[in-house]
Amino acid sequence: MTSAAISSASAAGQPAPAGRADGRIDCDVLVIGGGSTGAGVARDAAMRGFSTVLVERADMATGTTGRFHGLLHSGGRYVVKDPKAAQECIGENIILRRIADDCIEDTGGLFVTTPIDDPGYADRFIQGCKATGIEVQEIGVAEALRREPRLNPRISRALVVPDATVDAWKMVWSCVRSATQYGATVLPYHEVISVIRDGSRVAGAVVRGPGGELRIRAEVVINAAGAWAGKIAAMAGCEVKVRPGKGIMVATNHRLVNTVVNRCEMPADGDILVPIRTVSVIGTTDTLVDDPDDWPISRQEIDEMLTAGENLVPGFRESRTLRVWGGVRPLFQDEGPAETRDVTRAHAVLDHRARDGVEAFLTITGGKFCTYRLMAQDAVDAACGVLGTSRPCRTADEPLPDSGEQKFYRIGSRLAGRERTLHDEQLICECELVRRGALEEAIARRGAASLDDIRRALRLGMGPCQGGFCTYRATGILHQATNLSAAEANRALLEFLQERWKGLHPLLHGDQLRQAWLDDWIFQGVLDVEHLPLAEQERARV
Amino acid sequence: MTDEPAFDFIRDSLDHCVKCTICETACPVANATPLFPGPKYVGPQAERFRTPGSSDDGSLDYCSGCGICSQACPQGVHVAEINSRARATMKQQRRMPLRDHLLSRPSVEGRLATPVAPLANFVLSNRIFRVLAERTLGIHRSAPLPTFAGRTFQRWARRHRPAAAEREVVYFHGCSANYFQPELAEMTVAVLEHNGFRVLVPPQDCCGLPLQSNGIFDTARSYVRRLVGNLAPYARAGNQIVATSTSCGLMLKREAREILGIEDDDLRVVSEQTYDICEFLADLDAAGQLRTDFRAVPMTVTYHAPCQQQGHGIGKPALDLLALIPELKVIELDRACCGIAGTYGIKREKYDIAMKVGQGLFDDITSSAADLSVCDSETCRWQITHATGRPSVHPVEVLHRAYGL
């Protein structure tokens, strides 16, 4: 499985920046990378009044950000091992609950001592929580089992912390919306092909997008490419050692728990079970890989996740699993290699003037999703330094669009919303309750030819049938709503099926295998998708 | 939630759903009204969006609980059971109408109305009262309601002196036979005694099924627990238990565990020993132990196997029994549901749906040349008679007549 970029969709819907017609844009701040950090940096910079451009080689939040379990850490995970990271987490947890409630489900979290855990760790955990300012409360095992009846009944201790879950795609797009409201230009599907140097100074980047090449000149360039930050830095002639740390996750068909459940133990593989939207995700692993774009998922890793799930929730192995996927953490190392879990999860802002004698170029790396806002703040503070100005950060106070009313997301909200349109609107994705109107709005908003981009906005095709019943419906609507040719629409269908299949096939068994057969009959048997008319060059791609 | 089994096999069955939609095509309610979004939607799909105590889909209330979806599902999803549980949560979250409480307690009504049955029956059949009841309570003015017999089977049973017999069987008669139709219960005793059984009638109250189907789970649990507590000593002693109310029998066999989530030894042993009366008699016949001294009954009858009877998973033993009766012509009706689904079709907002669900069945009955309509479930018989004007009887009543008892 690789997370290769697909430069298939246009970035229509974005306001055309000044000077774009001649293939040039001038701005104060150029942000490279459209993950949570980049989106946060773009928002922060735009809010401070800098003219800002963000470029991302694929769609927003498709690198590491869109490929994690969805846990908004309380910081509990790091209290013993990495108190600095823990402090950052709880600080940001509190802020994000305030400014991004629409993206967050307030599930709460439990740290439980399972039979394979060191019983003494819980006391160190409590001390660590107190030292780092994380609210913690011990509850009895019976109470823990009442709250989460499927938990391993052999747990010996249970501690409640303010973990939550977060929809990363929604968070990133909320940042993008806010940034563009403040005048930023956000360009997904624009890949950096070179960094512009102006003597010792970095002066921007050349990017290739659907409309050709763009030359973006900037006063300061912020490299927020996460696990790919080393590649971007190298283009500027700098060395940044970011080791991609691969983590895999497995999603179950429905929620087995409604609270985030962590093993009360030093961070290890498969020790978190996260209820995110309609599924539970068990994660994760941590393995160094060489190339953030090319790494495998082995059967053994999947098996380890299932075993880990079984330890937290007996019967986990018998539960239907929907898919497996992985993401690569940006693990920043200044010196020699180490075990990935020993690398600090705190973040770092690198000013390459001091490190490499390269001016106006910053790299923000390390960190975690839940500290993205703080990372952005630190990065833009540093950018202010480069620009010789001082403007205060306001992202901790101003809520994201649709947030700010302390109305956390509820899993039942889509079901409740569906009640209002039950009788007059078609359901396109039955599993995730995606209405026709919601799909049409998303297509209009994104102007995207890629169903996978729509998927991230709506969860289209992310439920039990993994696109078996919605792909053909959505393709027809996409074809109708856009000016795609039949061949292009066919390609969109095939690419979506291919994308779904990537995460399905490594762990197909039991109920999901049965589903895959039915889906296969629909697409091969009834629709004969392998012989859909495609343009010749399209056929070569799929 | 203490009664919920730790590992929830009903919810987990949603994992088997492949979205094939067979349940939706089989659902009689979804086919009759757009108000119900269908069993796949409210079952395995919506369940993924539910957390304990949350209730977001009021349309679920239009599920009649007939259980045909669970029977139709080729993958083994307990669709109806998922829906029943979700409905109970919904009823807890929302204000439950007084009506649902009233309709859920037949034994309370029975005890109150039996001494004043003529008055009660007058009121229940009085047009003005019914219009009033529709407006104030939401009980549809035309819905079929039973009449009180003015006596109870329990009282009859206490006085009844059976002849000596070699075998014993326990009779679970249910509320209907006790308060509304004691003659059915008496015929059942006669049929069993004719076959050499001494019929034991332990004290018994409501099984809690109407409470359960109206989503009042806590009270339903206490009712069924009390009932199985009364029956368990007999079951442990090896006695078989027969039921003439097919839906109440199903409650003991399956639903108390699968819907109410009760896991205890009393229920387990009672479940194992409980038989639908026709199942029991057909088993006897298969073992060569059923008396077949039937007289000719030169009649034509229709037979409708109600959904709750089909929920037993025992086929249609009534047909095997009726086939033993000389000169009786039986027309098997291949319809899924009469619409009433216990108390569903009695409710004002659901009466028309229920009548529409049953329309095919009613048409089959009225267009047939049958003198009688035979059906295992009491509420279905009331509905059939209400809709067709034809008398409807339990299969045991036909056997009783054929035995000449």
Side-chain angles (χ1 to χ4, degrees), chain A residues 15 58 116 144 160 220 232 243 254 319 337-338 357 482:
Chain A
I116 58 171
V160 180
V220 60
I232 296 295
R243 303 298 302 273
H254 65 106
S319 298
T482 61

Side-chain angles (χ1 to χ4, degrees), chain A residues 103-269:
Chain A
C103 310
I104 292 170
E105 182 180 349
D106 187 15
T107 58
L110 277 172
F111 277 75
V112 295
T113 306
T114 73
I116 58 171
D117 298 328
D118 167 17
Y121 185 85
D123 290 327
R124 290 158 68 200
F125 178 85
I126 293 170
Q127 281 165 10
C129 284
K130 287 183 175 152
T132 48
I134 298 168
E135 213 176 298
V136 61
Q137 185 204 357
E138 177 148 21
I139 57 172
V141 169
E143 173 61 15
L145 292 171
R146 192 195 63 77
R147 293 186 192 185
E148 290 299 344
R150 287 162 185 265
L151 263 184
N152 189 337
R154 289 163 61 224
I155 60 170
S156 52
R157 294 182 77 171
L159 302 145
V160 180
V161 293
D163 284 341
T165 64
V166 56
D167 185 326
W169 297 310
K170 204 171 178 183
M171 180 83 94
V172 167
W173 278 104
S174 296
C175 284
V176 169
R177 277 168 66 198
S178 173
T180 50
Q181 281 164 13
Y182 279 97
T185 298
V186 177
L187 302 172
Y189 292 109
H190 283 72
E191 184 170 13
V192 173
I193 52 174
S194 65
V195 169
I196 303 168
R197 285 286 295 263
D198 207 350
S200 64
R201 206 178 147 269
V202 164
V206 179
V207 299
R208 188 187 294 128
E213 285 184 11
L214 268 180
R215 206 173 163 77
I216 304 171
R217 291 194 71 89
E219 298 299 314
V220 60
V221 174
I222 301 177
N223 170 16
W228 292 263
K231 294 190 172 187
I232 296 295
M235 290 188 194
C238 306
E239 191 187 26
V240 172
K241 275 192 185 160
V242 179
R243 303 298 302 273
K246 179 188 70 169
I248 74 155
M249 287 141 278
V250 172
T252 60
N253 179 39
H254 65 106
R255 283 191 181 192
L256 303 179
V257 291
N258 291 296
T259 312
V260 176
V261 178
N262 310 259
R263 273 173 60 197
C264 193
E265 181 54 282
M266 291 296 267
D269 286 356

Side-chain angles (χ1 to χ4, degrees), chain B residues 103 106 109-110 113 117 120-125 130 139 142-150 175-177 179-182 340 342-343 346 378-379 381-383 386:
Chain B
L103 293 178
E109 275 112 44
N121 292 334
F122 170 77
V123 168
L124 289 183
S125 59
R130 289 296 300 268
I139 294 171
S142 306
L145 294 181
T147 50
F148 293 96
C175 302
S176 170
Y179 298 109
F180 306 132
Q181 210 190 349
I340 194 81
T343 58
I346 295 173
E378 53 274 3
T379 54
R381 293 196 296 273
W382 303 336
Q383 169 87 336
H386 164 65

Side-chain angles (χ1 to χ4, degrees), chain B residues 15 18 60 111 140 145 147 158 229 266 279 287 325 361 363 371:
Chain B
D15 274 355
V18 294
L60 166 66
R111 275 194 291 276
H140 196 279
L145 294 181
T147 50
R158 278 196 297 275
D266 281 357
E279 177 187 19
I325 300 173
L361 177 69
D363 290 346
D371 311 286

Side-chain angles (χ1 to χ4, degrees), chain B residues 143-162:
Chain B
L145 294 181
T147 50
F148 293 96
R151 61 189 179 89
T152 67
F153 168 71
Q154 279 275 339
R155 191 178 153 86
W156 178 92
R158 278 196 297 275
R159 295 175 176 186
H160 177 62
R161 291 286 164 263

